[in-house]
Amino acid sequence: MKRVLLAHGDGGLYAAALIKDLFLRHFRHAELGRLSDAALLSPVDGRLAVTTDSFVVQPPFFPGGDIGKLSVCGTVNDLLAGGAQPLYLAVSFILEEGLLLDELEAVVVSLADTARSCGVEVVAGDTKVVPRGQADKLYITTTGIGRADERLLLGAEHVRPGDAVILSGTAGDHGIAVLSCRTGVSFQTQVVSDCAPLNGLIYAISPYFSSLRWLRDPTRGGVGATLNELAERAVLDIVLEEKSLPVRPEVRAAAELLGLDPLYLPNEGKMILVAKQEAAAEVCLALREHPLGREAEIIGHLERGTGSVWLRTVLGGTRGVEMPAGLPLPRIC
Ligand code: MG
C-alpha cells in the first residue's frame, strides 16, 4: 500500500507528482492549474469577508463525515455567520509521513465534493509533510473568502430584548458521532455527524434577511458557549426553553452515558439565528422547508439583564447555563 513519504513534501519530483496525480485531479479550478504562487481572482462586487480555521479532528473519518468535508463546512459556515456569501477556499494540508495515500485521496475527494456541492471553489493550496509521530495522520487549514451580503446587518450590537433565538436543528450530533468512534462505547443507534455546509439553508431564508440580527454556528462549546458569548457581548440575558431544544433521543442517551450536556456538545451543520420577535415564527417555518432545517425551533429569547444565559427546565425550574470551563472534548473539529 502506498504511503506519504517525506519526499512528497520536499518540493521535488514526488511533490510534483502528488500535486498532479492527486490534488489537480480533484481540484479543477483554472487558477490552481496554473501552479503559480498565488491565485488571481476577479474582483467581487462589495466588501470581502475572510476567515480561516484549522481542522485536527480525531479520528479523521467518523459517521457522517471526515476531516475533508469538515474543513469545508466549518469555513463556509463561518463566512455565512459573518454575513457573507462563501466564494473561494484556500486549503493547506499537513501530512504525517506514513499516511496511506488512499486515505489522503478519500479526504481530498470528500473535500472537493463538498466544496462543489455548495458552489465554493478551491483556488489555492499547500502541502507539507512532517516525520512520523510529529503529526497525527493529517491536519487541514482552510481559508475562506466570501462576499459580504449587504442585506445582512449582523452583530451582538444589533440584538434587542424580545428578539427570538432560533436553532436550525438538533443539538450535539457531531460531538456524539466523533466521541462514539473514540470511546469504543457502542450506542444503541449510531449517531451521524450533522456536518454540512449551510449556504443553501441560509439563502433559502433570504427574504427574511432584514429580520436577522445575529448568526453563529455553534461548533466548539455548542449552543451553551455560543449563547454565553452573545449574552456577554450584548449585555442582555438569554432565556432558553428546555422543552423547545431539539435533541435526538439517541444523542441525549449517549450524552447521559458520557456525562455530557447536549447544550455544550459541538455541531458542524447548525446555525443559531437571532431574529426580530415579530418575524421569528416565519423564519423558523422557512428554515423547516429546507432539508437541513427540518427540525428548526425557536429555543428562547433575549431579555434585559447583565449577560447571563438561563434554561427553563421541563420541570418548571430555572438554572444558569454557564460558560463551560475546560470541556473534555479535544480534537473534536
Ligand atoms: Mg464559527
Side-chain angles (χ1 to χ4, degrees):
M1 286 214 258
K2 289 190 176 164
R3 291 177 185 274
V4 169
L5 310 170
L6 282 172
H8 281 122
D10 70 1
L13 280 177
Y14 278 88
L18 189 69
I19 290 167
K20 187 166 140 288
D21 299 339
L22 178 60
F23 292 112
L24 291 186
R25 263 200 308 122
H26 300 292
F27 301 135
R28 300 286 183 80
H29 195 274
E31 273 301 309
L32 208 58
R34 286 175 58 229
L35 295 176
S36 154
D37 269 2
L40 302 178
L41 305 172
S42 307
V44 303
D45 182 17
R47 290 180 297 165
L48 287 176
V50 181
T51 186
T52 193
D53 219 331
S54 294
F55 298 85
V56 298
V57 64
Q58 188 274 320
F61 297 90
F62 48 84
D66 58 76
I67 191 169
K69 181 179 181 186
L70 191 62
S71 71
V72 175
C73 300
T75 294
V76 161
N77 295 344
D78 277 352
L79 285 170
L80 291 164
Q85 180 193 6
L87 299 174
Y88 301 112
L89 282 180
V91 183
S92 188
F93 290 86
I94 294 178
L95 310 177
E96 184 192 14
E97 175 193 10
L99 173 70
L100 288 172
L101 280 172
D102 283 351
E103 279 190 297
L104 174 60
E105 178 154 23
V107 168
V108 168
V109 167
S110 171
L111 197 162
D113 285 350
T114 309
R116 204 172 299 118
S117 77
C118 65
V120 174
E121 306 256 27
V122 176
V123 292
D126 182 52
T127 309
K128 297 282 180 343
V129 181
V130 297
R132 205 179 282 269
Q134 293 186 16
D136 185 3
K137 291 196 169 183
L138 78 166
Y139 307 140
I140 302 177
T141 299
T142 44
T143 299
I145 297 173
R147 182 171 50 96
D149 193 315
E150 303 300 339
R151 295 171 295 174
L152 286 164
L153 192 61
L154 305 173
E157 67 276 24
H158 297 299
V159 303
R160 296 286 177 266
D163 285 352
V165 179
I166 302 168
L167 179 61
S168 69
T170 52
D173 303 6
H174 177 73
I176 293 299
V178 173
L179 287 177
S180 69
C181 308
R182 272 195 221 161
T183 54
V185 181
S186 57
F187 306 118
Q188 274 187 337
T189 315
Q190 192 186 48
V191 176
V192 174
S193 169
D194 55 348
C195 183
L198 295 175
N199 39 359
L201 176 68
I202 296 304
Y203 276 86
I205 60 159
S206 60
Y208 299 97
F209 276 3
S210 62
S211 301
L212 302 179
R213 310 230 217 223
W214 185 86
L215 296 180
R216 187 63 60 84
D217 53 332
T219 52
R220 270 179 304 179
V223 172
T226 305
L227 287 180
N228 263 282
E229 281 174 32
L230 172 62
E232 192 186 321
R233 293 226 178 103
V235 200
L236 292 170
D237 280 7
I238 296 173
V239 182
L240 300 176
E241 303 292 338
E242 189 177 30
K243 66 174 187 331
S244 304
L245 187 78
V247 181
R248 291 188 199 290
E250 56 270 33
V251 167
R252 194 180 292 286
E256 224 157 80
L257 200 68
L258 297 167
L260 297 167
D261 184 340
L263 264 179
Y264 297 118
L265 286 171
N267 310 278
E268 290 292 345
K270 298 291 151 51
M271 196 65 82
I272 299 178
L273 308 91
V274 171
K276 292 179 191 171
Q277 188 182 29
E278 61 271 22
E282 278 184 78
V283 170
C284 195
L285 286 176
L287 287 167
R288 286 183 192 164
E289 280 177 21
H290 189 277
L292 294 175
R294 293 255 184 271
E295 286 138 321
E297 291 284 352
I298 298 173
I299 61 168
H301 68 279
L302 285 109
E303 282 186 2
R304 291 190 195 288
T306 53
S308 301
V309 182
W310 305 97
L311 182 74
R312 277 198 205 132
T313 67
V314 282
L315 298 174
T318 300
R319 71 166 170 91
V321 177
E322 309 294 333
M323 190 62 161
L327 283 168
L329 301 173
R331 295 186 59 194
I332 204 79
C333 60

